């Protein structure tokens, strides 16, 4: 496989080298597509590609130390769970495209498809947060629009996490900590956890400010290369069940899971989309920008 990243374009090598991430990688029967073709689940807010990406983030946040990476101050402590924004109210999601099974190639996953499906040049970071911060971030999935409508900005959770939210609850009171489980154990609000997420999320650029008080961060590989490495390692992508998030009381009068906004890309005046790294910075949540910092907005890195 031959590819380099130059500017905003992926320069791929010869066609034979680009055809597959690995000769044995198969996408299985993963029925995943982009936001327009596979909307989020109407109640729990789950998308199969979102679950795949959350599992990748957990994997990435648990990788051993790269001997060539000497930029981290804190030790590399493996992540225990991962959160990834699927449809944030502000900023962008790390999910960039789709991974629909290509029957013509027998399900082979190409390097180019992997590169285009996930990433905007942001590393996965593992950091220490409290159970209270995790709970508060889950609550921050819901806000009230100026029109009075309930908005839902779902976070995908890694395969070892389950939680329930109450569709009758108000904003800030939808997730009972006793209903959040990590590896089968109920969330402890006073406990500490190693969380993996894009640095963009830890910086609250996508609006989940509860996580910004993290400690002992460790920067892992950039999203583009990391996701390709994950696909190489697991070899076969199979669809995850949409059962990590449970919406309670959905049949009761007044139940409301919230509206998931499907925002399109930022566009140049001529209608062409901005490169995703630029769009990520320009669309970041201004509420969490330090306007006293002469450097301005911190880029997601």
């Amino acid at each position: 496989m031959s590819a380099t990243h130059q500017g905003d374009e992926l320069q791929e090598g010869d066609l034979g080298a680009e055809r597959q991430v690995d000769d044995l990688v198969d996408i299985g029967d993963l029925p995943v597509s982009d936001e327009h073709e596979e909307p989020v689940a109407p109640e729990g807010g789950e998308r199969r590609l979102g679950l795949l990406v959350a599992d990748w983030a957990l994997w990435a946040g648990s990788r051993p130390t790269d001997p060539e990476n000497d930029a981290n101050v804190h030790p590399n402590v493996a992540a225990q769970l991962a959160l990834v924004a699927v449809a944030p109210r502000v900023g962008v999601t790390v999910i960039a495209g789709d991974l629909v099974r290509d029957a013509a190639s027998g399900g082979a996953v190409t390097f180019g498809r992997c590169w285009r499906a996930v990433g905007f040049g942001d590393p996965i970071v593992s950091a220490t947060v409290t159970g209270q911060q995790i709970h508060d971030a889950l609550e921050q999935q819901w806000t009230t629009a100026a029109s009075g409508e309930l908005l839902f900005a779902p976070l995908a959770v890694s395969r070892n996490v389950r939680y329930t939210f109450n569709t009758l609850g108000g904003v800030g009171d939808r997730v009972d900590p006793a209903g959040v489980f990590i590896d089968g154990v109920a969330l402890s609000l006073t406990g500490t956890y190693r969380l993996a997420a894009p640095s963009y999320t830890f910086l609250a650029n996508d609006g989940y400010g509860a996580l910004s008080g993290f400690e002992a961060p460790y920067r892992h590989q950039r999203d583009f290369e990391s996701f390709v490495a994950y696909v190489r390692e697991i070899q076969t992508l199979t669809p995850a069940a949409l059962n990590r998030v449970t919406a309670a009381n959905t049949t009761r009068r007044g139940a409301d899971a919230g509206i998931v906004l499907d925002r399109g890309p930022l566009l140049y005046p001529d209608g062409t989309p901005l490169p995703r790294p630029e769009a990520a910075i320009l669309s970041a949540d201004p509420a969490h920008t330090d306007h006293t910092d002469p450097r301005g907005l911190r880029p997601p890195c």
Side-chain angles (χ1 to χ4, degrees):
M1 180 171 60
S2 172
T4 58
H5 189 250
Q6 300 178 354
D8 296 314
E9 292 184 282
L10 177 65
Q11 305 296 326
E12 296 175 350
D14 62 271
L15 180 61
E18 187 272 341
R19 281 192 57 83
Q20 295 180 212
V21 170
D22 185 287
D23 289 343
L24 300 178
V25 170
D26 181 18
I27 200 169
D29 293 311
L30 189 66
V32 176
S33 67
D34 64 18
E35 292 86 343
H36 301 290
E37 296 179 65
E38 186 201 44
V40 294
E43 296 174 354
E46 293 180 291
R47 287 181 54 209
R48 287 191 171 90
L49 187 52
L51 300 184
L52 172 66
V53 169
D55 290 345
W56 153 68
L58 177 60
W59 173 89
S62 306
R63 301 296 292 158
T65 301
D66 182 346
E68 296 183 0
N69 184 354
D70 60 357
N72 281 292
V73 174
H74 300 285
N76 182 7
V77 180
Q80 297 169 278
L81 73 155
L83 298 175
V84 174
V86 174
R89 295 183 310 280
V90 294
V92 300
T93 173
V94 73
I95 300 171
D98 58 28
L99 280 175
V100 178
R101 188 178 193 275
D102 178 17
S105 67
V109 183
T110 65
F111 177 95
R113 290 182 68 199
C114 279
W115 190 278
R116 290 187 293 270
V118 173
F120 52 80
D122 192 30
I124 291 294
V125 169
S126 55
T128 299
V129 296
T130 65
Q132 184 71 60
Q133 287 176 278
I134 293 171
H135 169 262
D136 292 350
L138 293 177
E139 291 283 13
Q140 287 177 343
Q141 294 175 108
W142 293 275
T143 55
T144 303
S147 62
E149 293 179 308
L150 181 67
L151 303 181
F152 184 17
L155 289 163
V157 298
S158 52
R159 59 181 173 274
N160 61 329
V161 178
R162 299 289 185 277
Y163 79 91
T164 299
F165 70 87
N166 182 6
T167 58
L168 295 174
V171 170
D173 188 25
R174 308 206 111 201
V175 180
D176 183 349
V180 181
F181 296 90
I182 302 169
D183 291 318
V185 179
L187 180 72
S188 169
L189 295 180
T190 58
T192 58
Y193 300 86
R194 288 296 287 181
L195 172 67
S199 73
Y200 197 75
T201 298
F202 278 116
L203 295 175
N205 292 154
D206 48 12
Y208 306 93
L211 299 175
S212 61
F214 57 87
E215 296 182 350
Y218 187 91
R219 178 178 52 79
H220 297 272
Q221 192 175 27
R222 192 174 68 155
D223 46 23
F224 292 120
E225 294 87 356
S226 180
F227 184 69
V228 170
Y230 176 67
V231 174
R232 281 185 187 277
E233 180 165 307
I234 65 173
Q235 294 291 300
T236 300
L237 307 181
T238 54
L242 301 178
N243 62 0
R244 302 180 189 182
V245 180
T246 300
N249 298 316
T250 58
T251 61
R252 298 276 300 277
R253 179 176 302 212
D256 188 356
I259 299 170
V260 178
L261 298 179
D262 181 16
R263 296 178 293 110
L266 289 181
L267 303 176
Y268 284 116
D270 64 2
T272 58
L274 269 69
R276 284 180 54 77
E278 293 180 26
I281 294 175
L282 292 175
S283 63
D285 188 355
H288 297 285
T289 301
D290 183 0
H291 296 286
T292 65
D293 189 338
R295 296 171 298 177
L297 174 67
R298 288 184 295 173
C301 61

